[in-house]
Amino acid sequence: MTNTRYMADLLAALQRGEVDDGRARDLVAEVESHIDESGEDPLEAFGPPDQFADQLMSRGLDETDAESNGGFETRTFRATAFDEMAVLSGLGADGWELVGVRDFGLHARRLRDARSAQRWDYRRRMGVRRGPILEEMRGEGWSPCGQWSWFHYFKRAV
Amino acid sequence: MLDLCILGTLRDGERYGYDIARRLEQAGLGRVKGGTLYPLLGRLEEAALLTAEWRPGDHGPGRKYYLLTGEGRKLLDEEKAEWQSFAAQTTALLDERGST
C-alpha cells in the first residue's frame, strides 16, 4: 500500500465514523508528518487504516445517545492507579457500572433514570498471572470489568 | 505506565509525536508504534493534560508539537511521587530476608 493510499483510506475511515472534517484532516496530517520523518511504512507503524481509525475515534467516549444505547449513558471518569478505588467506590454507589479501564480513564455506564440504576461494588487485585485471579474472583461472584498492567478490576452487583 | 512516561518526556519542554517516540526508545522502553502513541496523545490532549500546536516545516505537512498543561504537570508530579513510593516499598519487600 502506498503512503498516499494509506492516508486516503484513513481519511475515508474517519469520515465514515463521522469525525469532524477538520479533526480528521488533522489526524491524517499527523500520521503523514510521522511517516515523512521516520521513513516507516504506515501499515507497519499504524496498522490497517480501518483499525487505526477505530482506535483514534474511541477517544470521545463521554456522552453517548441514551436512545441508541439501551437507555444507558456512558461516561469516562479521570482516575489513576493510586486513587481509582476511592473513585470507583463513589461511582458504584451512584449506580455507575464500570465497563473498561484505560489511560487515566474509567469508562462507566449508568441508566439514564439514575434512581432505578443498579448499585455496584468494586475490587482490585494485583498479579502478573491473570488466570488464577479470575478463577478465584469468579468463584466469589465477581465479574472482571477491566485491566491495567498488573491491576485487575472486578465488579459485583450490590 | 506509557501515558505517564509520555507526560515525562514533555517535562522539559514541547516535543512532536515522532520526537516523543524517539525519546521513549532512547529511555529503553523499546519502539512505541505510531498506532499506540497517537491515540494516547489524543486522549491526553482530550483530558487537558496536554495542548498541541501545528508548526510548519521546511517540507511536508509540518509538525504537531505537544506541551504539558499546568494540570498535566501537576498530575505528573503527583504520579511520580506515588510511583517512587510504590517502587521503594516493592523493592524493600523484594530485598527482605529473614525478618518475620
Side-chain angles (χ1 to χ4, degrees), chain A residues 77-84 102-105 148, chain B residues 1-8 11 43-45 47-50 68-84:
Chain A
F77 297 91
R78 273 273 300 287
T80 71
F82 303 103
D83 68 2
E84 90 288 31
R102 196 179 55 202
D103 327 320
F104 296 124
W148 184 82
Chain B
M1 285 318 289
L2 187 55
D3 32 26
L4 198 54
C5 294
I6 290 173
L7 296 183
R11 184 186 283 284
R43 287 194 282 273
L44 293 171
E45 187 185 352
L49 300 171
L50 303 180
L68 276 180
T69 61
E71 205 180 339
R73 190 170 293 278
K74 184 165 163 274
L75 183 79
L76 181 60
D77 288 339
E78 287 167 7
E79 289 290 302
K80 183 183 155 200
E82 293 282 2
W83 177 255
Q84 284 171 332

Side-chain angles (χ1 to χ4, degrees), chain A residues 2-153:
Chain A
T2 64
N3 291 2
T4 314
R5 175 68 193 276
Y6 186 92
M7 301 312 158
D9 285 0
L10 179 59
L11 184 63
L14 290 166
Q15 286 168 338
R16 275 198 303 278
E18 296 181 351
V19 174
D20 160 85
D21 195 54
R23 180 82 191 126
R25 290 183 189 280
D26 184 82
L27 291 165
V28 173
E30 196 171 19
V31 172
E32 214 175 341
S33 168
H34 180 102
I35 293 302
D36 193 47
E37 198 135 1
S38 67
E40 292 169 340
D41 171 38
L43 194 60
E44 167 68 24
F46 293 89
D50 278 355
Q51 256 177 42
F52 183 50
D54 281 346
Q55 283 172 281
L56 289 169
M57 289 185 296
S58 69
R59 57 178 56 174
L61 282 170
D62 288 29
E63 290 286 322
T64 55
D65 181 13
E67 296 298 318
S68 63
N69 203 18
F72 285 96
E73 60 177 316
T74 65
R75 199 170 285 179
T76 304
F77 297 91
R78 273 273 300 287
T80 71
F82 303 103
D83 68 2
E84 90 288 31
M85 293 316 292
V87 175
L88 274 176
S89 168
L91 293 182
D94 284 342
W96 288 99
E97 178 187 4
L98 186 67
V99 292
V101 177
R102 196 179 55 202
D103 327 320
F104 296 124
L106 302 169
H107 304 297
R109 65 176 194 171
R110 181 173 74 173
L111 278 178
R112 281 269 162 191
D113 177 8
R115 279 166 308 177
S116 41
Q118 173 68 52
R119 267 56 183 164
W120 297 89
D121 268 346
Y122 294 102
R123 286 286 179 279
R124 180 181 76 187
R125 294 285 305 268
M126 284 176 69
V128 178
R129 294 179 58 226
R130 186 166 164 83
I133 294 175
L134 277 179
E135 197 175 326
E136 188 186 325
M137 292 300 279
R138 281 191 171 125
E140 293 172 16
W142 295 93
S143 309
C145 58
Q147 180 181 3
W148 184 82
S149 67
W150 58 84
F151 298 112
H152 312 275
Y153 299 89

Side-chain angles (χ1 to χ4, degrees), chain B residues 18-95:
Chain B
Y18 181 55
D19 189 27
I20 293 173
R22 277 190 310 200
R23 180 72 195 96
L24 293 170
E25 194 172 6
Q26 280 165 9
L29 292 182
R31 174 158 287 229
V32 177
K33 288 200 172 192
T36 304
L37 179 65
Y38 290 94
L40 263 173
L41 283 170
R43 287 194 282 273
L44 293 171
E45 187 185 352
E46 192 187 60
L49 300 171
L50 303 180
T51 54
E53 185 184 297
W54 276 98
R55 308 263 175 76
D58 296 338
H59 59 91
R63 291 165 172 171
K64 188 177 177 182
Y65 282 85
Y66 291 89
L67 186 67
L68 276 180
T69 61
E71 205 180 339
R73 190 170 293 278
K74 184 165 163 274
L75 183 79
L76 181 60
D77 288 339
E78 287 167 7
E79 289 290 302
K80 183 183 155 200
E82 293 282 2
W83 177 255
Q84 284 171 332
S85 148
F86 174 75
Q89 286 165 17
T90 307
T91 306
L93 193 64
L94 296 178
D95 279 343

